[in-house]
Amino acid sequence: MIVNSIDLNNFRNIKRENLEFSRNVNYIIGENAQGKSNLIEAIYYSSILKSYRTNKNTDLINNNEDYFKISLNIEEFTNNKLECFLNKKNSKEVKINNKKPTSYQLYNLLSCILFFNDEISYLKFYPNYRRNFIDRSIFNIENEYVEVVRKYEKVLKQRNADLKNNHEKDIWVDQLIKFGCQIIEKRKSYIKRLNLIINKNNDIENYKISYNFCEIDNVSDYLYEKFSKVKIKEKSVGYTLFGPHTDDFNFLVNDHDFRKYSSEGQKLSFLLSLKYSQLTDFKTMKTQSPVLIFDDIGKELDLKRKKDIFNKFFNKNCQIFITSTNIDCFTEDSKTFRVEQGHFFDLSQG
């Protein structure tokens, strides 16, 4: 899939910009706080209707305006127009070729693999982010998984309401386990695939994602037994104590939890290897390429290491967006945009 162009209105500090991109590598350069990340944030937002920099989508609207609008021309077998609109009342509208899409259509149209430096901290400190990291990756490959997660969350909400109100009969546990099993099996399958990929061409360290359910064959029986054990306590506390919404994942470097025992350089190398594994898996499962986004990858890397990493991704024949304060690893067939106070200048045009 390729983002051929973008039309932005009132997105953060970008008032109005219309840009055409390279099918290969797009560099967005400029000083800090000029709007580099705002551009790629708009692309990423369009893929899942969420930002990676804020939990409040209305923060994305320019301070002096009442709405933002993003229009993307996307090439995915055919050309499609994706439009995203949001106002300060948090009223959202999404269209693909002037029609309201299903979740399946949206996730199938534009998939992004994103790297940003702060993600290391998010993965380290927040179990909810680790769960979302795995689930979002599966969404991109198996779009129907979105609906499974939504059904689970709906049943979970209804069950928690009953537990809070001390209803004697638990009418939701069968459905919770039904959808929970589907989520767990998808997570198991995805993690197993990544673990087979992540150490290929890596002879320095050993990486692994650990998930306790990978060692459990009959997930349904395990869940029923677990719910039976916590039944009394759940009625006491008034909410569901166990299930996919409480799962956690460990990221291991040389069999040690990277959150506790790895240096910052090891964490960065692990995360980049993980992104490369996600890319490889996506291309295998979908027989096409996602859009790759690197937000300020160069902060922690020397020039040689940076070139080695980028060359590895460049050889995957994907469209790539890279933000940086400067460029020190050019590639052919690329475009360069300089950003100044929310305005973009295409340096490739001379």
Side-chain angles (χ1 to χ4, degrees), residues 90-281:
N90 207 29
S91 177
K92 178 173 56 183
E93 185 176 10
V94 181
K95 292 182 180 179
I96 296 178
N97 300 326
N98 295 316
K99 295 180 180 179
K100 184 178 180 180
T102 64
S103 297
Y104 175 87
Q105 290 170 324
L106 178 64
Y107 278 97
N108 200 48
L109 180 62
L110 177 61
S111 298
C112 298
I113 292 179
L114 167 72
F115 171 90
F116 63 107
N117 274 287
D118 288 343
E119 189 169 26
I120 295 173
S121 295
Y122 292 174
L123 289 172
K124 180 178 179 180
F125 293 113
Y126 305 116
N128 185 55
Y129 189 88
R130 293 192 287 273
R131 286 191 293 273
N132 289 338
F133 177 89
I134 297 297
D135 285 340
R136 285 196 304 268
S137 301
I138 302 172
F139 291 161
N140 284 336
I141 297 170
E142 302 181 57
N143 309 126
E144 65 277 5
Y145 182 64
V146 178
E147 292 304 318
V148 175
V149 172
R150 284 180 176 171
K151 288 176 181 177
Y152 176 85
E153 290 175 344
K154 182 178 180 180
V155 174
L156 178 65
K157 183 177 180 180
Q158 292 168 323
R159 183 172 190 261
N160 285 344
D162 277 4
L163 288 170
K164 186 176 182 180
N165 293 321
N166 294 313
H167 288 192
E168 291 189 10
K169 290 187 177 181
D170 191 346
I171 63 174
W172 302 110
V173 69
D174 287 344
Q175 289 189 58
L176 200 68
I177 290 176
K178 173 187 173 182
F179 297 124
C181 284
Q182 294 178 43
I183 291 171
I184 290 166
E185 291 297 341
K186 290 294 184 184
R187 289 174 176 175
K188 284 172 61 176
S189 177
Y190 183 65
I191 288 169
K192 285 180 179 179
R193 295 200 310 268
L194 288 189
N195 282 335
L196 289 173
I197 299 169
I198 196 168
N199 286 307
K200 289 184 177 180
N201 302 317
N202 174 33
D203 55 2
I204 300 175
E205 294 174 312
N206 182 267
Y207 301 139
K208 184 180 179 180
I209 305 172
S210 175
Y211 180 39
N212 63 308
F213 278 107
C214 285
E215 308 302 322
I216 297 173
D217 293 326
N218 195 321
V219 174
S220 179
D221 286 351
Y222 180 85
L223 291 179
Y224 273 111
E225 181 182 353
K226 194 73 176 179
F227 275 115
S228 177
K229 289 180 178 179
V230 299
K231 184 177 181 180
I232 296 176
K233 188 174 182 180
E234 284 184 330
K235 287 185 176 181
S236 174
V237 299
Y239 57 87
T240 304
L241 293 171
F242 187 78
H245 64 289
T246 66
D247 281 352
D248 203 355
F249 306 87
N250 289 326
F251 299 95
L252 307 178
V253 177
N254 298 327
D255 294 324
H256 297 293
D257 190 334
F258 96 132
R259 293 172 292 175
K260 299 178 181 178
Y261 301 107
S262 300
S263 68
E264 292 306 307
Q266 285 176 313
K267 292 184 180 75
L268 178 58
S269 294
F270 170 83
L271 185 55
L272 288 168
S273 294
L274 181 56
K275 300 296 180 180
Y276 187 77
S277 301
Q278 290 180 294
L279 169 60
T280 303
D281 181 68

Side-chain angles (χ1 to χ4, degrees), residues 239-348:
Y239 57 87
T240 304
L241 293 171
F242 187 78
H245 64 289
T246 66
D247 281 352
D248 203 355
F249 306 87
N250 289 326
F251 299 95
L252 307 178
V253 177
N254 298 327
D255 294 324
H256 297 293
D257 190 334
F258 96 132
R259 293 172 292 175
K260 299 178 181 178
Y261 301 107
S262 300
S263 68
E264 292 306 307
Q266 285 176 313
K267 292 184 180 75
L268 178 58
S269 294
F270 170 83
L271 185 55
L272 288 168
S273 294
L274 181 56
K275 300 296 180 180
Y276 187 77
S277 301
Q278 290 180 294
L279 169 60
T280 303
D281 181 68
F282 186 100
K283 288 171 71 75
T284 300
M285 300 294 291
K286 299 276 284 187
T287 65
Q288 59 177 317
S289 299
V291 173
L292 301 183
I293 298 174
F294 295 95
D295 192 4
D296 278 344
I297 190 175
K299 286 181 177 179
E300 308 295 335
L301 298 174
D302 59 38
L303 178 58
K304 182 181 183 304
R305 178 63 173 157
K306 198 185 304 183
K307 286 183 176 179
D308 289 344
I309 290 171
F310 281 140
N311 286 336
K312 189 176 180 181
F313 284 98
F314 292 159
N315 291 333
K316 279 297 192 177
N317 297 318
C318 301
Q319 187 181 36
I320 302 176
F321 292 85
I322 301 171
T323 70
S324 182
T325 53
N326 58 71
I327 299 175
D328 45 24
C329 51
F330 287 98
T331 185
E332 296 180 359
D333 300 322
S334 64
K335 268 195 170 187
T336 302
F337 300 90
R338 174 170 287 281
V339 190
E340 295 178 8
Q341 296 181 352
H343 296 288
F344 291 75
F345 303 92
D346 187 349
L347 304 184
S348 309

